[in-house]
Structure formats: C-alpha cells, structure tokens
Amino acid sequence: MVKENTELMAEARESLSGNWGLAIATFLVYGIIISIFQVIPTVGPVLVLFIAGPMLVGISMFSLSLSRGENARLEQIFEGFKNYSTVLGAYLLMVVLILLWMLLLIIPGIIAAIAYSQTFYILAEDDAISSMDALKKSKEMMDGYKWKYFCLGLRFIGWALLCILTLGIGFLWLSPYIQISYAKFYEDIKAA
C-alpha cells in the first residue's frame, strides 16, 4: 500500500534525526562542488554536464542509505563515478529527452522530468543496468505516481520561501529533508 506524502515526510525527519550534521555536511560539500564547476568561465556549464550525473547518483546513494538507517557516509557522493559511462549516458539522455519534451511546451517537459525522476535511485542500486533501461524503469515506476511526486514537491515550496528569508541558510536543512523524502518516495513506490 502506497503511503501518504505526509507520512513519507515524517519518516524522512525520523531518518534525519541524529544525522542532521552528516546530512548537512554532505549536501554542503555536494553544493560547493557543483557551484565551483558552474562558476568556471566559459567551460563551467559543460564541465557540470560531465559531473552532475555521477554526483546525483552519489547523492541518491547517500539518501537511500540514510533513509534505510544504513551506514551513510559523505564519501558516497563520489560513488557515482565508479560506473561513470552508464551514469553519464543516463544523465545526458535524460537531459536531451526532457529538453525535447520542453520544445513542445513546458508542461510536457515537467511530466518527462517527473517520469525520469527515479533514474538516479535506480542507478544507485543497480550498477549492472544500462542507461536506457534505467530511464525505462523509472518511467514504468512512475506510471500512476507522477501527480503524487509533483504534490510531494509542492509541499516544500513554503519551506523554500522561508529559506530564502534566511538568506539561503535554511537550505542547509531543507535540501537533505527534501532528498530523504524523495528517497522514501522511491522506496515506497518500488515496493508497491
């Protein structure tokens, strides 16, 4: 039975209890690395294309570990590089597919992004899966759950506005909370 979003969020807070320091440090390191690459003049955005996918798989590994009460470690954010070609292929395919859907209109692009949203969790758990199979599996998993995922994201908008009022400092807590909630979402629909 699929859980309500409020229940997933409560479980995420429970998983983070006692682990906030580790989660904040991990997401801060992740954010700093991505930001450093983005600000490099001219080549920065291109470099981000080559590291974002593996870093997102690493964040997914960390989030799943924390969500499951396993031994989560900061170093996990770099584990996506172990299967670099598959992860890069999945990330680039995902970007291209979403952009192609965006050419139609914004809404189809958002729907495509939601359909492929579980790709990094799938790659985090299965290093033998191909890029295309991970995207297909994500699309299949999200069949019937896109609206639920969208609504889960909407639940964080108020928190994000409050974080802006704190000059962004609140995002140190909000980012892990969002990611662990999405990891709980993944676990929930995977079991359904």
Side-chain angles (χ1 to χ4, degrees), residues 21-40:
L22 173 63
I24 289 169
T26 302
F27 281 86
L28 186 61
V29 168
Y30 167 78
I32 289 170
I33 291 169
I34 294 296
S35 297
I36 287 171
F37 277 93
Q38 285 179 334
V39 298
I40 297 172

Side-chain angles (χ1 to χ4, degrees), residues 2-17 20 67 148-160 173-174 176-186 188:
V2 178
K3 298 175 184 173
E4 293 293 322
N5 284 340
T6 52
E7 191 177 345
L8 297 174
M9 292 168 71
E11 288 178 6
R13 286 190 304 273
E14 187 179 311
S15 293
L16 283 161
S17 179
W20 280 105
S67 169
K148 180 178 172 51
Y149 184 90
F150 182 74
C151 289
L152 180 60
L154 287 179
R155 292 186 153 281
F156 295 108
I157 289 177
W159 289 106
W173 286 267
L174 185 61
Y177 181 33
I178 291 171
Q179 287 302 319
I180 304 305
S181 295
Y182 280 134
K184 292 287 186 185
F185 176 91
Y186 168 76
D188 191 42

Side-chain angles (χ1 to χ4, degrees), residues 154-167:
L154 287 179
R155 292 186 153 281
F156 295 108
I157 289 177
W159 289 106
L161 293 174
L162 288 174
C163 289
I164 291 168
L165 294 176
T166 66
L167 302 177

Side-chain angles (χ1 to χ4, degrees), residues 56-66 76 79-80 123-125:
L56 286 167
V57 169
I59 280 292
S60 298
M61 287 178 177
F62 175 83
S63 299
L64 286 171
S65 294
L66 202 61
Q76 284 178 298
E79 288 185 17
L123 289 167
E125 284 195 313

Side-chain angles (χ1 to χ4, degrees), residues 84-110:
Y84 185 75
S85 59
T86 302
V87 172
L88 178 65
Y91 179 73
L92 293 176
L93 273 170
M94 195 166 131
V95 168
V96 168
L97 289 170
I98 292 169
L99 287 174
L100 288 174
W101 280 105
M102 285 276 193
L103 290 176
L104 294 175
L105 281 175
I106 299 295
I107 302 298
I110 292 170

Side-chain angles (χ1 to χ4, degrees), residues 117-151:
S117 64
Q118 305 308 298
T119 303
F120 299 116
Y121 294 110
I122 293 165
L123 289 167
E125 284 195 313
D126 185 359
D127 57 359
I129 196 166
S130 72
S131 302
M132 190 56 87
D133 287 342
L135 289 165
K136 285 179 189 173
K137 187 173 180 180
S138 175
K139 193 174 177 182
E140 290 167 8
M141 282 179 77
M142 290 301 288
D143 190 32
Y145 297 106
K146 291 179 194 79
W147 181 249
K148 180 178 172 51
Y149 184 90
F150 182 74
C151 289

